[in-house]
Amino acid sequence: DTSICDGESINIIASGGDTYSWDNGLGSGATKTVSPTTTTTYVVTATDLGTGCKDTDEIIIQVKALPIAFAGQDASVCIGNSTTLVATGGGNYSWDNGLGAGATQSVTPTNTTTYTVTVINSDNCKDTDEIKITVNPLPTKPTITLFGSDLLSSAISGNHWLFNGISLPNATEQTYTPSVKGYYSVQVTDINGCTNTSDSIEFLLQ
């Protein structure tokens, strides 16, 4: 008797006679390849052609359940940022892309990448799942310049603006009049939540 993981095949080999006949619809022959989906008993009848005498034996193939691997929901990051992969479903975990073992992995992909995890349970049965991490580019770096007593900023892309932490309406150009002298910068955030910040500029009250 032996066991396999669900979905696997195994050869069963009879001996002791001249001809062999199996139940479960396997027919004749000493060797059979089976892929049971549930624990199954196979009976073989061996015949001695010289005497016509017969004998039977059986083998039980236990089918063990697979783990249910889950690598997590597909996600996205801004280029340069990290994200954490957390797999579930078994006792041991092995990732591709050079990540190695462990349920939890921190990754910083530079382009859109699919990660595959192999999950192994206590019966040494395996299942795999994958997660796709989409890498989004940063919006184009905005610029900031002096324009009289105002600061003028412009950007090619972005849908949310901040002048030194002050939120401004969406537009490709923004004008801001500071009330105190100091260093100012502008940050733009795009629809993917990725941000880019201009160089700082010093503003002196006139």
Side-chain angles (χ1 to χ4, degrees):
D1 296 338
T2 189
S3 64
I4 61 172
C5 298
D6 190 15
E8 293 181 341
S9 298
I10 190 172
N11 289 331
I12 51 177
I13 304 172
S15 61
D18 296 315
T19 62
Y20 305 91
S21 177
W22 295 85
D23 68 351
N24 282 289
L26 297 182
S28 60
T31 302
K32 294 294 175 182
T33 301
V34 295
S35 304
T37 56
T38 60
T39 297
T40 303
T41 299
Y42 297 93
V43 178
V44 64
T45 299
T47 302
D48 185 320
L49 294 179
T51 63
C53 294
K54 300 180 179 182
D55 190 26
T56 62
D57 193 24
E58 66 182 30
I59 181 173
I60 300 173
I61 307 297
Q62 181 185 7
V63 178
K64 297 181 178 180
L66 300 179
I68 301 176
F70 183 59
Q73 299 288 350
D74 292 346
S76 63
V77 296
C78 303
I79 190 166
N81 290 350
S82 300
T83 188
T84 300
L85 311 179
V86 182
T88 60
N92 293 293
Y93 304 86
S94 178
W95 295 84
D96 67 352
N97 284 285
L99 297 182
T104 302
Q105 301 289 339
S106 179
V107 296
T108 310
T110 56
N111 48 53
T112 297
T113 304
T114 298
Y115 299 92
T116 301
V117 65
T118 300
V119 177
I120 305 172
N121 65 13
S122 58
D123 291 323
N124 205 35
C125 294
K126 302 176 181 180
D127 189 30
T128 62
D129 192 32
E130 63 183 30
I131 181 174
K132 181 180 179 181
I133 304 298
T134 300
V135 178
N136 295 313
L138 301 184
T140 302
K141 185 177 180 178
T143 62
I144 185 171
T145 57
L146 286 173
F147 186 72
S149 60
D150 296 328
L151 295 175
L152 178 65
S153 180
S154 63
I156 295 175
S157 61
N159 69 346
H160 182 72
W161 292 73
L162 287 174
F163 261 109
N164 279 29
I166 300 172
S167 181
L168 296 175
N170 299 334
T172 55
E173 289 190 351
Q174 295 289 349
T175 301
Y176 179 69
T177 304
S179 58
V180 295
K181 65 181 181 179
Y183 285 90
Y184 288 81
S185 63
V186 63
Q187 182 184 80
V188 63
T189 304
D190 66 14
I191 59 174
N192 296 314
C194 299
T195 63
N196 207 345
T197 304
S198 71
D199 296 329
S200 294
I201 189 171
E202 185 178 13
F203 180 81
L204 301 175
L205 292 177
Q206 297 181 6

